[in-house]
Amino acid sequence: MLLGCIGDDFTGSSDLGSTLAREGLRTVQYCGVPTRDAAPDVEAGIVALKSRTCPAAEAVADSLAALAWLRRQGCRQFFFKYCSTFDSRPDGNIGPVIDALMAELGADRALVCPAFPTNGRRVFQGHLFVGDRLLSESGMENHPLTPMTDPDIRRWLTLQTRLGVGHVPYQTIAEGAAAVTAALEAEVGAGRPVVVLDAVADGDLRVIGEAAAGVALVTGGSGVALGLPANFEERSGRGEGGWEPVAGPGVVLSGSCSAATRGQVSAYSRHHPALAVEPLRVLTGEQTAAEAADWVLSVLDAGPMVYSTADPEAVSALQASHGRDAVASAVETFFAELAALLAGRGLRRFVVAGGETSGAVTAALKTESLRIGPEIAPGVPALFDAEQGLALALKSGNFGAPDFFESALAVLGPDR
Ligand code: ADP
């Protein structure tokens, strides 16, 4: 394995996998720290963790365990992937994880670049923009778990890391990789080894990638990973190697209530049978995964969908009356049980909408590793569980066009 990656969430890790595979590294996503060694042909391994919002000490411990496994696989460079909106609280978890990874690697520097220009995330003069708004005026200041109230990534990181925070501004990036390398040396020499780099376009990310050759620890969104594969001259250039389409019946499971998913559920239900999950009836035991599994099997040829997707008013009302965590956990358990039942009854293709929902479903399917295949939509690759012969698409809430479910099932493979 050449490049070892640690992802702080599940669907973000697939997004990273998509970028690395497209740039020619044969990539596998692991669901948690694997207990076995990787297959010998894997060039980039991504250990997907759920470490974005857990206590910082837990995020550090999990990330160090992932690092130890990746080092055993022979990796020379490591990438810590977080959200391109730098989702974190003032007391963690990005800074503490960077500090711990640097200490463990004996690294004298870490590069920090959340930019993802394709999705409108740009870093300029140390400030993160979403489209033409500063991060703190983009809606992210109201995020329920990680409100981002300061767009200055240098200031935010200073609250999180014990080390000095440096900066390489856009005017230096524009001069090319040699200038960036010199600027990095200067920052490290001045006692600021955690270095934020500006980037506003993919070309900037490739310059940063070139300057990152030989740097042990690079961190950022999936965007900056764009420039890393080119440094590995021995790479196969066959990013999708090992991925195969899977023939067999498929189903769509949607537990995401995000705006893009609501549009996709509505578009798909126009031409396919759709069963609504009613959280209230799930909570009282009136609606069960076993019944839903029977229903799916009864309409299998028509490409059925089971969804709990609802509009924000319905979700808030239910959360107010029954508690946010209780509802979320009941719905996630429902989808997890349903997926396991369906896999047991021969379903082979699963399209899942929702980050948390995807985590619950892959755990229930006992998926350990996923080969990264072709991109279905930007940031959403087709995935292949070679051990179980399953094809999956895991879509985070706001990704994908209205016809995403239809195209995802088609990319995963034929009906029979
Ligand atoms: P996204 O990627 O869109 O954020 P997630 O799956 O990560 O989707 O999160 C959606 C959360 O909302 C899950 O915990 C899910 O169980 C919960 N949920 C799904 N449907 C409903 C609903 N109708 N009412 C309340 N909560 C719901």
Side-chain angles (χ1 to χ4, degrees), residues 3 13-28 43-44 46 225-226 229 235-241 243 370-375 381-383:
L3 178 66
S13 292
S14 307
D15 179 5
L16 170 64
S18 227
T19 302
L20 296 175
R22 208 176 44 234
E23 296 294 322
L25 285 179
R26 191 170 294 169
T27 305
V28 172
E43 296 172 322
I46 306 167
L226 191 75
R235 71 190 188 284
S236 63
R238 294 190 57 242
E240 289 161 18
W243 183 84
L370 293 162
R371 299 249 163 190
I372 306 285
E375 216 170 41
L383 301 166

Side-chain angles (χ1 to χ4, degrees), residues 11 254-259 261 277 279 307-311 314-316 318-319 324 327-333 335 353-358 395-398:
T11 41
S254 177
S256 155
C257 298
S258 300
T261 309
V277 180
Y307 68 99
S308 67
T309 308
D311 58 40
V315 173
S316 317
L318 205 59
Q319 287 175 339
R324 180 197 167 99
V327 178
S329 141
V331 175
E332 284 173 35
T333 304
F335 279 117
E356 296 301 324
T357 310
S358 296
K395 186 195 82 80
S396 72
N398 273 323

Side-chain angles (χ1 to χ4, degrees), residues 30 50 74 155 163 221 236 247 252 277 291 344 366-367 400-401 405 412:
Y30 301 92
K50 277 186 161 209
R155 212 156 43 194
L163 301 165
S236 63
V252 176
V277 180
E291 281 165 18
K366 300 195 165 46
T367 301
F405 294 150
L412 295 186

Side-chain angles (χ1 to χ4, degrees), residues 176-409:
V180 174
T181 302
L184 286 170
E185 283 300 326
E187 290 300 85
V188 173
R192 296 186 291 267
V194 180
V195 190
V196 176
L197 296 103
D198 286 357
V200 302
D202 283 355
D204 303 328
L205 297 174
R206 291 193 191 275
V207 167
I208 293 170
E210 205 181 325
V215 173
L217 182 61
V218 181
T219 80
S222 59
V224 73
L226 191 75
L228 299 180
N231 292 329
F232 297 102
E233 280 168 15
E234 64 273 57
R235 71 190 188 284
S236 63
R238 294 190 57 242
E240 289 161 18
W243 183 84
E244 286 174 26
V246 172
V251 67
V252 176
L253 305 176
S254 177
S256 155
C257 298
S258 300
T261 309
R262 295 203 306 276
Q264 289 152 355
V265 164
S266 139
Y268 193 77
S269 59
R270 265 179 235 130
H271 305 289
H272 301 273
L275 176 71
V277 180
E278 297 171 49
L280 265 183
R281 295 182 61 233
V282 172
L283 283 163
T284 59
E286 287 165 79
Q287 186 175 24
T288 65
E291 281 165 18
D294 288 341
W295 175 83
V296 168
L297 293 165
S298 72
V299 288
L300 205 49
D301 288 344
M305 167 173 69
V306 181
Y307 68 99
S308 67
T309 308
D311 58 40
E313 292 76 34
V315 173
S316 317
L318 205 59
Q319 287 175 339
S321 60
H322 287 75
R324 180 197 167 99
D325 292 347
V327 178
S329 141
V331 175
E332 284 173 35
T333 304
F334 180 94
F335 279 117
E337 285 175 10
L338 175 58
L341 285 169
L342 292 173
R345 310 272 286 268
L347 267 80
R348 286 286 157 262
R349 292 175 300 141
F350 291 84
V351 175
V352 188
E356 296 301 324
T357 310
S358 296
V361 166
T362 46
L365 291 175
K366 300 195 165 46
T367 301
E368 288 182 9
S369 67
L370 293 162
R371 299 249 163 190
I372 306 285
E375 216 170 41
I376 302 163
V380 195
L383 301 166
F384 175 50
D385 176 344
E387 282 165 0
Q388 305 195 76
L390 297 176
L392 286 88
L394 310 175
K395 186 195 82 80
S396 72
N398 273 323
F399 281 16
D403 64 352
F404 177 84
F405 294 150
E406 192 98 52
S407 31
L409 276 173

Side-chain angles (χ1 to χ4, degrees), residues 145-158:
L145 299 174
T146 50
M148 297 303 293
T149 50
D150 189 345
D152 188 334
I153 296 307
R154 300 162 300 181
R155 212 156 43 194
W156 199 253
L157 252 185
T158 301

